[in-house]
Amino acid sequence: MSTSTETSTEPNAVVANEFDRDTAVTLREPGVYDADLSAGWTIIHAVNGGYLLALLGRALGHHLPHPDPFTISAHYLTPSVPGPAVIRTETVRTGRTLSTGQASLFQYAEDGTEVERIRVLASYGDLDALLDDVRTSATPPAMAPIENCFGASDGPTPQIPGSSAITERLDIRLDPACVGWAIGAPSGKGEMRAWFGLADGREPDALSLLLTVDALPPTSFELGLKGWTPTVELTTHVRCRPAPARCGSPSPPATWPAAFLEEDAEVWDSADRLVAQSRQLARAPRS
């Protein structure tokens, strides 16, 4: 992976990988971008929240004077569906090292009215201007070697109602301690740990980290809960550019306050650096 600022996908550009192609935006007028939500990133009934976050993250990267997301908070208002969308961006403040902006993604209902799907507020900077040493008291997770982990083609395939197209875009290798849910024997610990990569081999960068934090199976599966866990709010902090090769992505035990789940996630790169963290509030499955 190149450690320079990630490629800015220009309108109508031909790209070699699915992630950049499917998060491409086209400038319609200042602050307004057209996008097409790909059906390839759907799970159960809706478009994946991490994919949507990366899409809006790319639009803000075009709009703001700084290139990289440092922190981005998203509120998911209504489920997004594959098809055309428009993203409206706004600069809130610009400074020497940080710029802050907001963006909203809209789609049209059957009656032609515009529906807001997701709204984000983000601060952008230049990751190349930061010190390369990411200091933290956290330690890399204890994960099984990748050759001992399980991918989508290993073992029985759990029955997921609706679409599971996103699994074809991702190369996730789950730690053996976190796969009980797939065979009807969840651990009850509410943890997920996995090696993460994109199926077409695209190397990770700051933008793809926004997908990574919401790409693993829900921790609720290992609690024995089944069904859709739609995201209500997701905040992600990007610490630095990830080193080449796949990332490790553990989710510590989830908190389950009645009808909602709180999930934390960490992303560690191949150099054992903590490159991204997130916290998510999601609706708990009803089953």
Side-chain angles (χ1 to χ4, degrees):
M1 178 192 73
S2 170
T3 55
S4 61
T5 302
E6 60 264 28
T7 301
S8 176
T9 304
E10 298 297 335
N12 303 319
V14 177
V15 294
N17 60 76
E18 292 178 306
F19 177 77
D20 290 325
R21 180 197 68 200
D22 293 343
T23 58
V25 295
T26 302
L27 182 65
R28 180 196 298 180
E29 59 187 71
V32 181
Y33 299 86
D34 290 313
D36 187 51
L37 306 190
S38 169
W41 301 89
T42 52
I43 183 70
I44 304 183
H45 305 298
V47 180
N48 171 260
Y51 163 73
L52 292 170
L53 191 61
L55 183 68
L56 275 82
R58 189 182 293 281
L60 280 170
H62 281 290
H63 180 73
L64 295 172
H66 293 93
D68 304 311
F70 278 20
T71 177
I72 182 167
S73 296
H75 288 263
Y76 296 81
L77 307 177
T78 54
S80 299
V81 296
V86 59
I87 299 172
R88 294 192 175 91
T89 59
E90 178 184 347
T91 300
V92 177
R93 180 186 180 276
T94 60
R96 184 173 62 86
T97 59
L98 286 176
S99 54
T100 300
Q102 62 182 11
S104 291
L105 183 145
F106 299 86
Q107 291 187 298
Y108 290 99
E110 292 183 359
D111 63 2
T113 58
E114 200 172 64
V115 180
E116 187 174 8
R117 302 296 195 194
I118 174 175
R119 183 180 299 190
V120 305
L121 180 67
S123 289
Y124 273 54
D126 184 355
L127 289 172
D128 290 334
L130 301 180
L131 296 175
D132 191 52
D133 182 21
V134 181
R135 301 183 181 184
T136 176
S137 60
T139 56
M143 291 179 59
I146 188 170
E147 60 269 18
N148 295 337
C149 294
F150 295 93
S153 61
D154 298 316
T157 302
Q159 296 300 310
I160 300 176
S163 171
S164 57
I166 191 173
T167 60
E168 300 174 10
R169 318 273 87 75
L170 308 178
D171 184 7
I172 293 176
R173 309 294 179 89
L174 287 168
D175 189 291
C178 304
V179 298
W181 60 274
I183 57 174
S187 67
K189 295 181 179 179
E191 297 177 328
M192 285 288 171
R193 294 187 301 275
W195 297 99
F196 176 87
L198 289 167
D200 61 10
R202 182 195 189 274
E203 296 285 9
D205 62 10
L207 197 66
S208 72
L209 292 177
L210 303 182
L211 165 69
T212 308
V213 297
D214 193 43
L216 299 192
T219 54
S220 57
F221 285 6
E222 273 295 274
L223 289 171
L225 303 173
K226 299 178 181 180
W228 190 31
T229 56
T231 303
V232 176
E233 188 270 343
L234 173 60
T235 294
T236 303
H237 296 164
V238 176
R239 304 300 188 189
C240 66
R241 299 192 190 285
R246 67 179 62 242
C247 299
S249 184
S251 296
T255 303
W256 183 23
F260 294 91
L261 283 164
E262 292 177 356
E263 296 182 330
D264 293 331
E266 299 173 350
V267 183
W268 296 78
D269 70 1
S270 58
D272 282 341
R273 298 179 305 167
L274 181 60
V275 294
Q277 295 168 279
S278 72
R279 169 161 284 189
Q280 175 176 164
L281 180 69
R283 291 191 179 275
R286 295 182 180 180
S287 60

